[in-house]
Amino acid sequence: MPLVAAAVCPHPPLLVPEVAGAAAPELDDLRAACDTAVRGLLAADPATVVLLGAGPVTGTIPSPATGSLQPWGVDLDVPLTPGQPDRGAVLPLSLTIGAWLLARHGVRPPVTAVQVAADAGPAELAALADEVNAMAARVALLVLGDGSACRGEKSPGYDDPRARPYDQRVAAALAEADLDGLLDLDPVVSAELKAAGRAPWQVLAGATRSAGGGWRGELLHDSAPFGVAYFVASWRPA
């Protein structure tokens, strides 16, 4: 079974304390849940960790690669592999935060960065899921994705009454490792609600189905402190 574990985390820049500044303590619980999920991922003893998140196109990002938090006011580079000698390719925000989360846990296996376009369709997502499973004999998948960004009048997408039910559906699917629940998320509605996690979550569901066997999920965090839904979950073979 190529896929041996998976974790889901959000990717707000505010996860990084240097970006959050005085507001950093407000996300302490979210950071702690992400750390728990990453520790669980590494405990599966993978041969490769695959970072998967939204980006401008679909495909693997060649290493070396580096993300930057300069657009969010902090002069901080986040390399895909700590200590790499040059900057290389550019990581999108989702994978920059994923690399930052992994770097908090020291020694780890090789990491591969994979991005998926926000408008990717079912065939493209299914092909990417198969590609992820073929990357190593034991793959751990760290999926980066936010839920809706329309939870209240001060949210990035303003208030949308569909947002809470959408996020509740995602939370339930992540908690139960419900593959159909994720695969059935509507791309159009997801885009209207600015849910950046839709395509990465559906690759997760496809990779898990391709790996076979039963899976169990655990929802470690579910909140929307700034009008954007943040989920943290761990998936393991049953």
Side-chain angles (χ1 to χ4, degrees):
M1 181 169 59
L3 187 65
V4 296
V8 172
C9 292
H11 54 74
L14 291 174
L15 261 183
V16 181
E18 293 92 330
V19 175
E26 296 181 34
L27 293 183
D28 281 349
D29 288 347
L30 176 58
R31 259 180 236 106
C34 289
D35 284 339
T36 297
V38 172
R39 281 194 296 269
L41 199 71
L42 298 177
D45 191 28
T48 294
V49 174
V50 176
L51 287 181
L52 172 69
V57 297
T58 296
T60 301
I61 298 176
S63 184
T66 304
S68 174
L69 292 169
Q70 287 184 346
W72 292 273
V74 174
D75 188 14
L76 177 64
D77 288 338
V78 183
L80 182 62
T81 302
Q84 68 187 26
D86 56 77
R87 292 180 57 82
V90 177
L91 294 174
L93 172 63
S94 63
L95 302 185
T96 298
I97 298 301
W100 180 83
L101 287 171
L102 284 178
R104 289 162 64 85
H105 295 269
V107 178
R108 49 186 167 78
V111 179
T112 299
V114 178
Q115 60 184 343
V116 56
D119 60 354
E124 188 175 354
L125 296 175
L128 187 59
D130 288 341
E131 183 180 333
V132 167
N133 264 327
M135 287 181 174
R138 295 178 60 83
V139 174
L141 186 57
L142 177 54
V143 180
L144 289 308
D146 297 345
S148 77
C150 301
R151 295 277 292 273
E153 295 180 358
K154 295 183 179 181
S155 66
Y158 198 63
D159 187 53
D160 191 313
R162 300 172 297 172
R164 187 176 296 275
Y166 178 95
D167 292 330
Q168 290 173 338
R169 179 180 178 185
V170 172
L174 293 175
E176 300 166 8
D178 178 0
L179 309 187
D180 289 334
L182 294 179
L183 291 171
D184 288 343
L185 292 173
D186 186 281
V188 174
V189 173
S190 300
E192 291 172 348
L193 295 177
K194 303 184 183 303
R198 189 277 304 180
W201 297 331
Q202 290 185 330
V203 174
L204 164 65
T208 304
R209 176 156 290 168
S210 177
W215 286 75
R216 64 179 185 274
E218 180 182 5
L219 187 66
L220 302 173
H221 188 91
D222 175 4
S223 68
F226 308 114
V228 182
Y230 300 143
F231 310 108
V232 181
S234 291
W235 285 17
R236 298 178 181 84

